[in-house]
Amino acid sequence: MHLTVEQALLIYPLSEAGVIAGKSGTSRVIKSVNVMDAPDILTKCLQGVIGGLQEGKVTRLCVSNKKKRPDSLLEAYNECVGSYGLAERLGLKDAIVQFEIVELSYLFQKLPQGKMRTYCVEVLDALLNKDPEYSREMLRTLEAFIENDG
């Protein structure tokens, strides 16, 4: 018997589920199924992180920004991958890395140098052309803002 994804979604309990990605592939024939029942997955992940830290291993758990819709799963995954990569490049030792904390750094890493240079010239040069004392104070404020995760 050949069963497509679309047909399988008509059978209970899959009739209670929905497709969050790959909707154009619902006409494909199902070749295999993997089931994972992990209601306490977050607890297991955190235990793994804590256990790894106690053993001196570098274990990292990355957390995306909160998502409100199931179809945002890929976006959440990409945020976690970006957080992990950025934590590695920056040499962060944190066991748990939240995307919202490294998001600005992640954004700056993705900007082409030319665009970043243009932004700095347009924004920071205007600031630097003001009264020198005012400029120094604003740059100190900007530095404190960035250092404290804005």
Side-chain angles (χ1 to χ4, degrees):
M1 176 180 178
H2 297 286
L3 188 66
T4 67
V5 173
E6 187 174 39
Q7 292 167 330
L9 288 171
L10 298 174
I11 302 168
Y12 183 82
L14 292 178
S15 60
E16 302 292 316
V19 176
I20 60 170
K23 290 181 182 179
S24 63
T26 57
S27 61
R28 293 184 179 170
V29 173
I30 298 173
K31 294 181 181 176
S32 67
V33 175
N34 293 316
V35 178
M36 181 174 126
D37 183 17
D40 58 347
I41 191 72
L42 184 57
T43 302
K44 289 183 189 283
C45 288
L46 290 174
Q47 287 170 344
V49 169
I50 292 167
L53 289 174
Q54 291 170 345
E55 296 171 14
K57 296 178 183 174
V58 178
T59 305
R60 185 166 284 132
L61 178 66
C62 297
V63 180
S64 72
N65 285 335
K66 184 177 181 180
K67 304 298 177 216
K68 296 184 180 182
R69 297 184 354 235
D71 61 350
S72 300
L73 185 59
L74 181 60
E75 181 184 351
Y77 171 78
N78 287 329
E79 288 177 3
C80 290
V81 169
S83 298
Y84 182 85
L86 189 61
E88 290 292 309
R89 283 193 300 280
L90 296 176
L92 299 179
K93 302 294 182 202
D94 301 19
I96 299 175
V97 179
Q98 292 177 278
F99 185 73
E100 67 180 19
I101 292 178
V102 296
E103 187 172 19
L104 188 59
S105 297
Y106 181 76
L107 177 65
F108 284 150
Q109 298 256 334
K110 298 293 181 184
L111 280 177
Q113 283 187 352
K115 293 207 183 273
M116 181 61 118
R117 193 172 293 112
T118 300
Y119 171 79
C120 289
V121 166
E122 290 177 4
V123 175
L124 296 180
D125 276 0
L127 174 64
L128 295 173
N129 289 330
K130 302 224 182 252
D131 174 58
E133 182 56 35
Y134 174 80
S135 295
R136 278 192 294 279
E137 186 60 33
M138 288 296 105
L139 287 174
R140 281 193 293 269
T141 302
L142 178 59
E143 184 179 28
F145 179 78
I146 291 170
E147 284 178 355
N148 292 289
D149 298 322

